[in-house]
Amino acid sequence: MHEMSLMGDILQLIQEDATDKGIQQIDKVELIVGEISNAMPDALRMAFDIFRDQNLHLFTETAELVLHIEEAKAKCVLCELEYRPDQKIALCPSCLVPSGKVLSGETFQILSYEGRN
Amino acid sequence: MKITLRTDVLTNNNKAAEFNRELFQNTKTLVINLMSSPGAGKTTLLEETVRELSGKYRIAVIEGDLATERDADRIRAMGAKAVQINTHGGCHLDARMVAATLTEFDLDEIDLLFIENVGNLVCPSGYDLGQHHKVAVLSVPEGNDKIPKYPQMFMRTELVLLNKIDLLPYLDFSVEEARKDLTEINPESILFSLSARTQEGMHEWFSWIEGAYLQCVQQ
Ligand SMILES: Nc1nc2c(ncn2[C@@H]2O[C@H](COP(=O)(O)OP(=O)(O)OP(=O)(O)O)[C@@H](O)[C@H]2O)c(=O)[nH]1
Ligand SMILES: [Mg+2]
Ligand SMILES: [Zn+2]
């Protein structure tokens, strides 16, 4: 996986925004990570720690990373059941037909950050 | 102070992908992003595709690999233009790498552009390159468990080329099961069984390309 480079992009995007706003220090970063988004939470945490310890960007030594995990959910177009998909993402557990559409779980977003001037 | 962004992490990639998409559309270039695990047969399939279709279409290939020019050389040996991208450890191609490479082509003079992604069933699936179609190659020796184990790849591709079916008699791979697993992840995806080695089943792939090309130029 490529969480180091993803985290590099995330910190870059935040830093650009913070610089525009005249923010000098960043204490906290919040991300939304979908369960089927391809990004691995543990690897993201590790990457964040590595960047922070290198004192890169505007991030303080105690800067914190908060991950909001977005559950994978799908909904059957036949019986309208909402279910948590396993590997068989489209398979409705009730109809046993591949009639499910993914509702959530693919998001991978920077939700917010907290900073000081 | 708290600043809410709600920005997609891949926002820069997506911008570059849109840039590429517009270019491909304006120049009527059909672009196919081929993804698979290492060794599934992407380059072999492309060699055979160039051999079959180069009389009819002007074909070019972008080859993505960690290192070496080997795959691009194989395509050049078939008479098509190929540009190699070396990712130097990067596990996937992104839209910016593709955009940078496009300067080496005259897209007005190209009908079909194939992008062979880095051999990897996980990372490439998340990156939009601006292509018209994402195609996954799966090969018989990899075993039946690959579709359920890598659902993110197969939920984001619309066609699976099941390659190396010449090896079916020697292995316990079940094509039926692969079709069922694929349908349960992505009911819209289709699967062609073929062998780039023996040519069996390749016509289905070639006619799919012709259909996709017509659709692309009519848009
Ligand atoms: N038996 C058999 N072997 C095949 C077939 N297609 C490809 N191969 C062989 O599989 C091996 C790998 O093929 P490549 O085309 O290099 O695979 P690739 O997906 O491009 O590999 P990477 O670029 O390294 O990810 C080669 O030895 C091919 O000759 C096939 O249909 N049948
Ligand atoms: Mg190859
Ligand atoms: Zn149902």
Side-chain angles (χ1 to χ4, degrees), chain B residues 34-46 65 71 74 116-121 135-143 146 153-154 160-167 192 194-197 202:
Chain B
L34 265 188
M35 296 175 281
S36 80
S37 48
K42 298 178 294 302
T43 311
T44 312
L45 272 161
L46 289 177
D65 279 292
D71 282 2
R74 285 169 59 186
E116 177 179 335
N117 221 309
V118 179
N120 179 330
L121 271 181
V135 174
V137 183
L138 177 69
S139 64
V140 164
E142 293 170 65
K146 293 305 170 294
M153 173 59 75
F154 296 97
V160 175
L161 301 177
L162 176 62
N163 187 31
K164 309 195 189 181
I165 56 165
D166 55 295
L167 299 176
F192 297 151
L194 45 79
S195 165
R197 173 75 50 88
M202 289 286 279

mmCIF file of all heavy atoms in Angstrom, chain B residues 34-46 65 71 74 116-121 135-143 146 153-154 160-167 192 194-197 202:
data_model
loop_
_atom_site.group_PDB
_atom_site.id
_atom_site.type_symbol
_atom_site.label_atom_id
_atom_site.label_comp_id
_atom_site.label_asym_id
_atom_site.label_seq_id
_atom_site.Cartn_x
_atom_site.Cartn_y
_atom_site.Cartn_z
ATOM 1 N N LEU B 34 -5.413 -1.063 -17.967
ATOM 2 C CA LEU B 34 -5.350 -2.503 -17.707
ATOM 3 C C LEU B 34 -4.668 -2.754 -16.366
ATOM 4 O O LEU B 34 -3.528 -2.329 -16.144
ATOM 5 C CB LEU B 34 -4.479 -3.178 -18.767
ATOM 6 C CG LEU B 34 -5.079 -3.813 -20.014
ATOM 7 C CD1 LEU B 34 -3.959 -4.557 -20.744
ATOM 8 C CD2 LEU B 34 -6.205 -4.769 -19.714
ATOM 9 N N MET B 35 -5.340 -3.482 -15.498
ATOM 10 C CA MET B 35 -4.780 -3.729 -14.168
ATOM 11 C C MET B 35 -4.800 -5.221 -13.853
ATOM 12 O O MET B 35 -5.717 -5.933 -14.267
ATOM 13 C CB MET B 35 -5.623 -2.978 -13.128
ATOM 14 C CG MET B 35 -5.566 -1.472 -13.318
ATOM 15 S SD MET B 35 -6.658 -0.588 -12.193
ATOM 16 C CE MET B 35 -8.213 -0.819 -13.028
ATOM 17 N N SER B 36 -3.802 -5.673 -13.092
ATOM 18 C CA SER B 36 -3.775 -7.076 -12.660
ATOM 19 C C SER B 36 -2.656 -7.248 -11.662
ATOM 20 O O SER B 36 -1.859 -6.341 -11.438
ATOM 21 C CB SER B 36 -3.509 -8.011 -13.843
ATOM 22 O OG SER B 36 -2.121 -8.044 -14.160
ATOM 23 N N SER B 37 -2.565 -8.449 -11.080
ATOM 24 C CA SER B 37 -1.393 -8.764 -10.271
ATOM 25 C C SER B 37 -0.206 -8.982 -11.203
ATOM 26 O O SER B 37 -0.378 -9.147 -12.411
ATOM 27 C CB SER B 37 -1.663 -9.989 -9.399
ATOM 28 O OG SER B 37 -2.226 -10.997 -10.175
ATOM 29 N N PRO B 38 1.021 -8.987 -10.653
ATOM 30 C CA PRO B 38 2.200 -9.179 -11.520
ATOM 31 C C PRO B 38 2.113 -10.502 -12.265
ATOM 32 O O PRO B 38 1.774 -11.524 -11.670
ATOM 33 C CB PRO B 38 3.377 -9.203 -10.533
ATOM 34 C CG PRO B 38 2.880 -8.541 -9.291
ATOM 35 C CD PRO B 38 1.392 -8.797 -9.252
ATOM 36 N N GLY B 39 2.357 -10.445 -13.557
ATOM 37 C CA GLY B 39 2.487 -11.686 -14.313
ATOM 38 C C GLY B 39 1.191 -12.293 -14.825
ATOM 39 O O GLY B 39 1.184 -13.396 -15.371
ATOM 40 N N ALA B 40 0.060 -11.603 -14.659
ATOM 41 C CA ALA B 40 -1.214 -12.165 -15.137
ATOM 42 C C ALA B 40 -1.271 -12.214 -16.662
ATOM 43 O O ALA B 40 -2.074 -12.963 -17.230
ATOM 44 C CB ALA B 40 -2.388 -11.352 -14.595
ATOM 45 N N GLY B 41 -0.409 -11.402 -17.298
ATOM 46 C CA GLY B 41 -0.342 -11.472 -18.762
ATOM 47 C C GLY B 41 -0.739 -10.195 -19.480
ATOM 48 O O GLY B 41 -1.071 -10.229 -20.665
ATOM 49 N N LYS B 42 -0.662 -9.073 -18.785
ATOM 50 C CA LYS B 42 -1.059 -7.798 -19.404
ATOM 51 C C LYS B 42 -0.246 -7.497 -20.653
ATOM 52 O O LYS B 42 -0.796 -7.177 -21.707
ATOM 53 C CB LYS B 42 -0.869 -6.624 -18.401
ATOM 54 C CG LYS B 42 -1.711 -6.738 -17.149
ATOM 55 C CD LYS B 42 -1.451 -5.597 -16.178
ATOM 56 C CE LYS B 42 -0.062 -5.570 -15.558
ATOM 57 N NZ LYS B 42 0.335 -6.776 -14.812
ATOM 58 N N THR B 43 1.080 -7.593 -20.549
ATOM 59 C CA THR B 43 1.925 -7.238 -21.688
ATOM 60 C C THR B 43 1.724 -8.219 -22.838
ATOM 61 O O THR B 43 1.648 -7.818 -24.002
ATOM 62 C CB THR B 43 3.407 -7.177 -21.266
ATOM 63 O OG1 THR B 43 3.518 -6.382 -20.087
ATOM 64 C CG2 THR B 43 4.265 -6.556 -22.353
ATOM 65 N N THR B 44 1.593 -9.494 -22.519
ATOM 66 C CA THR B 44 1.363 -10.492 -23.567
ATOM 67 C C THR B 44 0.049 -10.208 -24.290
ATOM 68 O O THR B 44 -0.033 -10.250 -25.523
ATOM 69 C CB THR B 44 1.332 -11.913 -22.966
ATOM 70 O OG1 THR B 44 2.462 -12.072 -22.094
ATOM 71 C CG2 THR B 44 1.381 -12.975 -24.045
ATOM 72 N N LEU B 45 -0.992 -9.888 -23.520
ATOM 73 C CA LEU B 45 -2.276 -9.538 -24.122
ATOM 74 C C LEU B 45 -2.137 -8.327 -25.031
ATOM 75 O O LEU B 45 -2.720 -8.287 -26.118
ATOM 76 C CB LEU B 45 -3.284 -9.211 -23.023
ATOM 77 C CG LEU B 45 -4.077 -10.387 -22.468
ATOM 78 C CD1 LEU B 45 -4.673 -10.024 -21.112
ATOM 79 C CD2 LEU B 45 -5.182 -10.774 -23.443
ATOM 80 N N LEU B 46 -1.369 -7.347 -24.580
ATOM 81 C CA LEU B 46 -1.194 -6.140 -25.391
ATOM 82 C C LEU B 46 -0.381 -6.435 -26.647
ATOM 83 O O LEU B 46 -0.684 -5.904 -27.720
ATOM 84 C CB LEU B 46 -0.548 -5.025 -24.563
ATOM 85 C CG LEU B 46 -1.472 -4.416 -23.500
ATOM 86 C CD1 LEU B 46 -0.742 -3.366 -22.672
ATOM 87 C CD2 LEU B 46 -2.720 -3.799 -24.139
ATOM 88 N N ASP B 65 5.708 0.429 -14.698
ATOM 89 C CA ASP B 65 6.430 -0.603 -13.956
ATOM 90 C C ASP B 65 7.265 0.074 -12.884
ATOM 91 O O ASP B 65 7.597 1.253 -13.000
ATOM 92 C CB ASP B 65 7.377 -1.395 -14.876
ATOM 93 C CG ASP B 65 6.657 -2.471 -15.670
ATOM 94 O OD1 ASP B 65 6.190 -3.438 -15.044
ATOM 95 O OD2 ASP B 65 6.559 -2.337 -16.905
ATOM 96 N N ASP B 71 8.902 -3.963 -20.639
ATOM 97 C CA ASP B 71 7.572 -4.120 -21.225
ATOM 98 C C ASP B 71 7.386 -3.177 -22.409
ATOM 99 O O ASP B 71 6.810 -3.560 -23.427
ATOM 100 C CB ASP B 71 6.475 -3.907 -20.164
ATOM 101 C CG ASP B 71 6.330 -5.150 -19.274
ATOM 102 O OD1 ASP B 71 7.091 -6.120 -19.468
ATOM 103 O OD2 ASP B 71 5.450 -5.144 -18.394
ATOM 104 N N ARG B 74 8.987 -4.671 -25.384
ATOM 105 C CA ARG B 74 8.198 -5.765 -25.977
ATOM 106 C C ARG B 74 7.120 -5.192 -26.901
ATOM 107 O O ARG B 74 6.848 -5.739 -27.973
ATOM 108 C CB ARG B 74 7.550 -6.614 -24.874
ATOM 109 C CG ARG B 74 8.547 -7.533 -24.169
ATOM 110 C CD ARG B 74 7.959 -8.170 -22.918
ATOM 111 N NE ARG B 74 6.769 -8.972 -23.184
ATOM 112 C CZ ARG B 74 6.026 -9.527 -22.221
ATOM 113 N NH1 ARG B 74 6.343 -9.359 -20.943
ATOM 114 N NH2 ARG B 74 4.969 -10.245 -22.527
ATOM 115 N N GLU B 116 -0.894 0.120 -19.353
ATOM 116 C CA GLU B 116 -0.657 -1.055 -18.515
ATOM 117 C C GLU B 116 -0.214 -0.563 -17.151
ATOM 118 O O GLU B 116 0.860 0.004 -16.993
ATOM 119 C CB GLU B 116 0.407 -1.995 -19.114
ATOM 120 C CG GLU B 116 0.673 -3.177 -18.176
ATOM 121 C CD GLU B 116 1.687 -4.208 -18.663
ATOM 122 O OE1 GLU B 116 1.894 -4.336 -19.886
ATOM 123 O OE2 GLU B 116 2.268 -4.890 -17.790
ATOM 124 N N ASN B 117 -1.055 -0.759 -16.150
ATOM 125 C CA ASN B 117 -0.749 -0.292 -14.804
ATOM 126 C C ASN B 117 0.304 -1.191 -14.153
ATOM 127 O O ASN B 117 0.617 -2.272 -14.653
ATOM 128 C CB ASN B 117 -2.033 -0.274 -13.967
ATOM 129 C CG ASN B 117 -2.131 0.951 -13.086
ATOM 130 O OD1 ASN B 117 -1.190 1.250 -12.353
ATOM 131 N ND2 ASN B 117 -3.242 1.646 -13.148
ATOM 132 N N VAL B 118 0.841 -0.751 -13.034
ATOM 133 C CA VAL B 118 1.811 -1.536 -12.270
ATOM 134 C C VAL B 118 1.124 -2.815 -11.774
ATOM 135 O O VAL B 118 -0.027 -2.765 -11.334
ATOM 136 C CB VAL B 118 2.319 -0.717 -11.060
ATOM 137 C CG1 VAL B 118 3.321 -1.523 -10.244
ATOM 138 C CG2 VAL B 118 2.937 0.592 -11.527
ATOM 139 N N GLY B 119 1.811 -3.944 -11.867
ATOM 140 C CA GLY B 119 1.235 -5.213 -11.433
ATOM 141 C C GLY B 119 0.939 -5.193 -9.936
ATOM 142 O O GLY B 119 1.855 -5.204 -9.117
ATOM 143 N N ASN B 120 -0.368 -5.147 -9.604
ATOM 144 C CA ASN B 120 -0.772 -4.992 -8.200
ATOM 145 C C ASN B 120 -2.297 -5.002 -8.205
ATOM 146 O O ASN B 120 -2.913 -4.248 -8.947
ATOM 147 C CB ASN B 120 -0.243 -3.628 -7.708
ATOM 148 C CG ASN B 120 -0.598 -3.303 -6.269
ATOM 149 O OD1 ASN B 120 -1.611 -3.728 -5.748
ATOM 150 N ND2 ASN B 120 0.267 -2.532 -5.637
ATOM 151 N N LEU B 121 -2.899 -5.852 -7.371
ATOM 152 C CA LEU B 121 -4.370 -5.936 -7.386
ATOM 153 C C LEU B 121 -5.031 -4.970 -6.406
ATOM 154 O O LEU B 121 -6.251 -4.926 -6.319
ATOM 155 C CB LEU B 121 -4.828 -7.364 -7.067
ATOM 156 C CG LEU B 121 -4.973 -8.331 -8.234
ATOM 157 C CD1 LEU B 121 -5.469 -9.694 -7.752
ATOM 158 C CD2 LEU B 121 -5.911 -7.804 -9.310
ATOM 159 N N VAL B 135 -10.090 -2.174 -16.995
ATOM 160 C CA VAL B 135 -10.189 -3.606 -17.270
ATOM 161 C C VAL B 135 -9.224 -4.350 -16.357
ATOM 162 O O VAL B 135 -8.066 -3.944 -16.205
ATOM 163 C CB VAL B 135 -9.855 -3.889 -18.762
ATOM 164 C CG1 VAL B 135 -9.803 -5.381 -19.034
ATOM 165 C CG2 VAL B 135 -10.857 -3.197 -19.683
ATOM 166 N N ALA B 136 -9.702 -5.409 -15.726
ATOM 167 C CA ALA B 136 -8.833 -6.223 -14.876
ATOM 168 C C ALA B 136 -8.454 -7.496 -15.621
ATOM 169 O O ALA B 136 -9.279 -8.080 -16.319
ATOM 170 C CB ALA B 136 -9.545 -6.585 -13.577
ATOM 171 N N VAL B 137 -7.204 -7.913 -15.490
ATOM 172 C CA VAL B 137 -6.777 -9.205 -16.017
ATOM 173 C C VAL B 137 -6.553 -10.116 -14.820
ATOM 174 O O VAL B 137 -5.902 -9.730 -13.847
ATOM 175 C CB VAL B 137 -5.466 -9.095 -16.830
ATOM 176 C CG1 VAL B 137 -5.094 -10.454 -17.423
ATOM 177 C CG2 VAL B 137 -5.592 -8.041 -17.928
ATOM 178 N N LEU B 138 -7.134 -11.293 -14.888
ATOM 179 C CA LEU B 138 -6.922 -12.296 -13.848
ATOM 180 C C LEU B 138 -6.447 -13.533 -14.589
ATOM 181 O O LEU B 138 -6.920 -13.796 -15.694
ATOM 182 C CB LEU B 138 -8.254 -12.576 -13.137
ATOM 183 C CG LEU B 138 -8.246 -13.662 -12.066
ATOM 184 C CD1 LEU B 138 -7.453 -13.196 -10.857
ATOM 185 C CD2 LEU B 138 -9.674 -14.015 -11.663
ATOM 186 N N SER B 139 -5.500 -14.285 -14.025
ATOM 187 C CA SER B 139 -5.049 -15.460 -14.760
ATOM 188 C C SER B 139 -5.295 -16.723 -13.955
ATOM 189 O O SER B 139 -5.294 -16.712 -12.723
ATOM 190 C CB SER B 139 -3.566 -15.317 -15.124
ATOM 191 O OG SER B 139 -2.784 -15.274 -13.960
ATOM 192 N N VAL B 140 -5.521 -17.793 -14.685
ATOM 193 C CA VAL B 140 -5.893 -19.074 -14.098
ATOM 194 C C VAL B 140 -4.952 -19.537 -12.970
ATOM 195 O O VAL B 140 -5.423 -19.976 -11.929
ATOM 196 C CB VAL B 140 -6.029 -20.121 -15.239
ATOM 197 C CG1 VAL B 140 -6.020 -21.543 -14.720
ATOM 198 C CG2 VAL B 140 -7.275 -19.829 -16.065
ATOM 199 N N PRO B 141 -3.612 -19.429 -13.118
ATOM 200 C CA PRO B 141 -2.741 -19.918 -12.030
ATOM 201 C C PRO B 141 -2.882 -19.155 -10.708
ATOM 202 O O PRO B 141 -2.461 -19.641 -9.669
ATOM 203 C CB PRO B 141 -1.320 -19.725 -12.597
ATOM 204 C CG PRO B 141 -1.487 -19.568 -14.051
ATOM 205 C CD PRO B 141 -2.841 -18.971 -14.281
ATOM 206 N N GLU B 142 -3.478 -17.958 -10.746
ATOM 207 C CA GLU B 142 -3.617 -17.199 -9.496
ATOM 208 C C GLU B 142 -4.650 -17.804 -8.560
ATOM 209 O O GLU B 142 -4.660 -17.505 -7.360
ATOM 210 C CB GLU B 142 -4.017 -15.745 -9.810
ATOM 211 C CG GLU B 142 -2.939 -14.966 -10.527
ATOM 212 C CD GLU B 142 -3.490 -13.626 -11.031
ATOM 213 O OE1 GLU B 142 -3.847 -12.787 -10.192
ATOM 214 O OE2 GLU B 142 -3.553 -13.443 -12.248
ATOM 215 N N GLY B 143 -5.550 -18.602 -9.088
ATOM 216 C CA GLY B 143 -6.532 -19.267 -8.237
ATOM 217 C C GLY B 143 -7.824 -18.497 -8.115
ATOM 218 O O GLY B 143 -7.887 -17.296 -8.340
ATOM 219 N N LYS B 146 -8.859 -15.007 -5.794
ATOM 220 C CA LYS B 146 -8.446 -13.614 -6.010
ATOM 221 C C LYS B 146 -9.627 -12.656 -6.136
ATOM 222 O O LYS B 146 -9.556 -11.525 -5.654
ATOM 223 C CB LYS B 146 -7.533 -13.493 -7.240
ATOM 224 C CG LYS B 146 -6.188 -14.179 -7.048
ATOM 225 C CD LYS B 146 -5.458 -13.682 -5.819
ATOM 226 C CE LYS B 146 -4.237 -14.533 -5.482
ATOM 227 N NZ LYS B 146 -4.572 -15.913 -5.075
ATOM 228 N N MET B 153 -10.828 -4.108 -6.334
ATOM 229 C CA MET B 153 -10.440 -4.092 -7.742
ATOM 230 C C MET B 153 -11.638 -4.445 -8.615
ATOM 231 O O MET B 153 -11.971 -3.733 -9.558
ATOM 232 C CB MET B 153 -9.292 -5.094 -7.977
ATOM 233 C CG MET B 153 -8.911 -5.290 -9.435
ATOM 234 S SD MET B 153 -8.398 -3.784 -10.279
ATOM 235 C CE MET B 153 -6.757 -3.533 -9.605
ATOM 236 N N PHE B 154 -12.313 -5.522 -8.270
ATOM 237 C CA PHE B 154 -13.330 -6.032 -9.193
ATOM 238 C C PHE B 154 -14.636 -5.259 -9.119
ATOM 239 O O PHE B 154 -15.432 -5.304 -10.038
ATOM 240 C CB PHE B 154 -13.508 -7.542 -8.972
ATOM 241 C CG PHE B 154 -12.250 -8.289 -9.303
ATOM 242 C CD1 PHE B 154 -11.334 -8.663 -8.308
ATOM 243 C CD2 PHE B 154 -11.927 -8.551 -10.619
ATOM 244 C CE1 PHE B 154 -10.158 -9.310 -8.626
ATOM 245 C CE2 PHE B 154 -10.751 -9.200 -10.949
ATOM 246 C CZ PHE B 154 -9.858 -9.580 -9.949
ATOM 247 N N VAL B 160 -13.481 -8.198 -16.945
ATOM 248 C CA VAL B 160 -12.380 -9.030 -16.465
ATOM 249 C C VAL B 160 -11.954 -9.932 -17.610
ATOM 250 O O VAL B 160 -12.788 -10.608 -18.218
ATOM 251 C CB VAL B 160 -12.800 -9.894 -15.248
ATOM 252 C CG1 VAL B 160 -11.678 -10.828 -14.840
ATOM 253 C CG2 VAL B 160 -13.228 -9.015 -14.084
ATOM 254 N N LEU B 161 -10.656 -9.902 -17.920
ATOM 255 C CA LEU B 161 -10.118 -10.838 -18.896
ATOM 256 C C LEU B 161 -9.500 -11.981 -18.113
ATOM 257 O O LEU B 161 -8.490 -11.798 -17.433
ATOM 258 C CB LEU B 161 -9.059 -10.152 -19.770
ATOM 259 C CG LEU B 161 -9.540 -8.924 -20.557
ATOM 260 C CD1 LEU B 161 -8.378 -8.299 -21.327
ATOM 261 C CD2 LEU B 161 -10.688 -9.289 -21.491
ATOM 262 N N LEU B 162 -10.139 -13.143 -18.158
ATOM 263 C CA LEU B 162 -9.586 -14.313 -17.477
ATOM 264 C C LEU B 162 -8.604 -14.963 -18.437
ATOM 265 O O LEU B 162 -9.005 -15.620 -19.412
ATOM 266 C CB LEU B 162 -10.707 -15.276 -17.077
ATOM 267 C CG LEU B 162 -10.210 -16.573 -16.449
ATOM 268 C CD1 LEU B 162 -9.449 -16.302 -15.153
ATOM 269 C CD2 LEU B 162 -11.359 -17.521 -16.214
ATOM 270 N N ASN B 163 -7.311 -14.751 -18.179
ATOM 271 C CA ASN B 163 -6.256 -15.164 -19.111
ATOM 272 C C ASN B 163 -5.664 -16.519 -18.713
ATOM 273 O O ASN B 163 -5.856 -16.989 -17.602
ATOM 274 C CB ASN B 163 -5.170 -14.068 -19.128
ATOM 275 C CG ASN B 163 -4.115 -14.310 -20.191
ATOM 276 O OD1 ASN B 163 -4.404 -14.887 -21.254
ATOM 277 N ND2 ASN B 163 -2.887 -13.899 -19.923
ATOM 278 N N LYS B 164 -4.935 -17.088 -19.639
ATOM 279 C CA LYS B 164 -4.223 -18.372 -19.466
ATOM 280 C C LYS B 164 -5.185 -19.548 -19.323
ATOM 281 O O LYS B 164 -4.920 -20.484 -18.558
ATOM 282 C CB LYS B 164 -3.251 -18.323 -18.257
ATOM 283 C CG LYS B 164 -2.313 -17.102 -18.271
ATOM 284 C CD LYS B 164 -1.150 -17.230 -17.311
ATOM 285 C CE LYS B 164 -0.386 -15.909 -17.220
ATOM 286 N NZ LYS B 164 0.767 -15.955 -16.333
ATOM 287 N N ILE B 165 -6.300 -19.532 -20.041
ATOM 288 C CA ILE B 165 -7.221 -20.668 -19.943
ATOM 289 C C ILE B 165 -6.638 -21.928 -20.586
ATOM 290 O O ILE B 165 -7.162 -23.013 -20.380
ATOM 291 C CB ILE B 165 -8.619 -20.375 -20.542
ATOM 292 C CG1 ILE B 165 -8.512 -19.930 -21.999
ATOM 293 C CG2 ILE B 165 -9.388 -19.346 -19.708
ATOM 294 C CD1 ILE B 165 -9.834 -19.982 -22.735
ATOM 295 N N ASP B 166 -5.526 -21.770 -21.320
ATOM 296 C CA ASP B 166 -4.849 -22.982 -21.819
ATOM 297 C C ASP B 166 -4.336 -23.837 -20.662
ATOM 298 O O ASP B 166 -4.082 -25.028 -20.827
ATOM 299 C CB ASP B 166 -3.693 -22.581 -22.754
ATOM 300 C CG ASP B 166 -2.714 -21.630 -22.099
ATOM 301 O OD1 ASP B 166 -3.106 -20.480 -21.770
ATOM 302 O OD2 ASP B 166 -1.550 -22.012 -21.882
ATOM 303 N N LEU B 167 -4.238 -23.244 -19.456
ATOM 304 C CA LEU B 167 -3.727 -24.000 -18.301
ATOM 305 C C LEU B 167 -4.845 -24.659 -17.483
ATOM 306 O O LEU B 167 -4.570 -25.378 -16.521
ATOM 307 C CB LEU B 167 -2.896 -23.079 -17.395
ATOM 308 C CG LEU B 167 -1.666 -22.449 -18.068
ATOM 309 C CD1 LEU B 167 -0.968 -21.479 -17.118
ATOM 310 C CD2 LEU B 167 -0.686 -23.536 -18.514
ATOM 311 N N PHE B 192 -14.475 -12.311 -19.903
ATOM 312 C CA PHE B 192 -14.136 -13.093 -21.083
ATOM 313 C C PHE B 192 -13.043 -14.080 -20.700
ATOM 314 O O PHE B 192 -12.043 -13.682 -20.087
ATOM 315 C CB PHE B 192 -13.599 -12.205 -22.216
ATOM 316 C CG PHE B 192 -14.583 -11.184 -22.750
ATOM 317 C CD1 PHE B 192 -14.111 -9.986 -23.288
ATOM 318 C CD2 PHE B 192 -15.952 -11.417 -22.753
ATOM 319 C CE1 PHE B 192 -15.000 -9.041 -23.802
ATOM 320 C CE2 PHE B 192 -16.851 -10.481 -23.265
ATOM 321 C CZ PHE B 192 -16.373 -9.286 -23.786
ATOM 322 N N LEU B 194 -10.016 -16.301 -21.933
ATOM 323 C CA LEU B 194 -9.169 -16.316 -23.127
ATOM 324 C C LEU B 194 -7.745 -16.769 -22.809
ATOM 325 O O LEU B 194 -7.387 -16.965 -21.632
ATOM 326 C CB LEU B 194 -9.149 -14.925 -23.779
ATOM 327 C CG LEU B 194 -8.977 -13.689 -22.874
ATOM 328 C CD1 LEU B 194 -7.521 -13.514 -22.500
ATOM 329 C CD2 LEU B 194 -9.490 -12.442 -23.573
ATOM 330 N N SER B 195 -6.980 -16.959 -23.827
ATOM 331 C CA SER B 195 -5.567 -17.286 -23.669
ATOM 332 C C SER B 195 -4.764 -16.452 -24.663
ATOM 333 O O SER B 195 -4.932 -16.598 -25.870
ATOM 334 C CB SER B 195 -5.317 -18.777 -23.934
ATOM 335 O OG SER B 195 -3.928 -18.993 -24.107
ATOM 336 N N ALA B 196 -3.928 -15.597 -24.130
ATOM 337 C CA ALA B 196 -3.065 -14.796 -25.001
ATOM 338 C C ALA B 196 -2.030 -15.702 -25.672
ATOM 339 O O ALA B 196 -1.488 -15.367 -26.718
ATOM 340 C CB ALA B 196 -2.367 -13.699 -24.198
ATOM 341 N N ARG B 197 -1.784 -16.867 -25.069
ATOM 342 C CA ARG B 197 -0.819 -17.817 -25.623
ATOM 343 C C ARG B 197 -1.372 -18.527 -26.845
ATOM 344 O O ARG B 197 -0.754 -18.535 -27.910
ATOM 345 C CB ARG B 197 -0.440 -18.812 -24.507
ATOM 346 C CG ARG B 197 0.423 -19.989 -24.886
ATOM 347 C CD ARG B 197 1.885 -19.668 -25.125
ATOM 348 N NE ARG B 197 2.562 -18.887 -24.108
ATOM 349 C CZ ARG B 197 3.179 -19.364 -23.042
ATOM 350 N NH1 ARG B 197 3.158 -20.674 -22.781
ATOM 351 N NH2 ARG B 197 3.813 -18.565 -22.217
ATOM 352 N N MET B 202 -9.757 -14.813 -27.810
ATOM 353 C CA MET B 202 -9.280 -13.425 -27.952
ATOM 354 C C MET B 202 -10.223 -12.564 -28.802
ATOM 355 O O MET B 202 -10.275 -11.352 -28.634
ATOM 356 C CB MET B 202 -7.875 -13.399 -28.565
ATOM 357 C CG MET B 202 -6.782 -13.905 -27.627
ATOM 358 S SD MET B 202 -6.384 -12.715 -26.315
ATOM 359 C CE MET B 202 -5.290 -11.601 -27.191
#
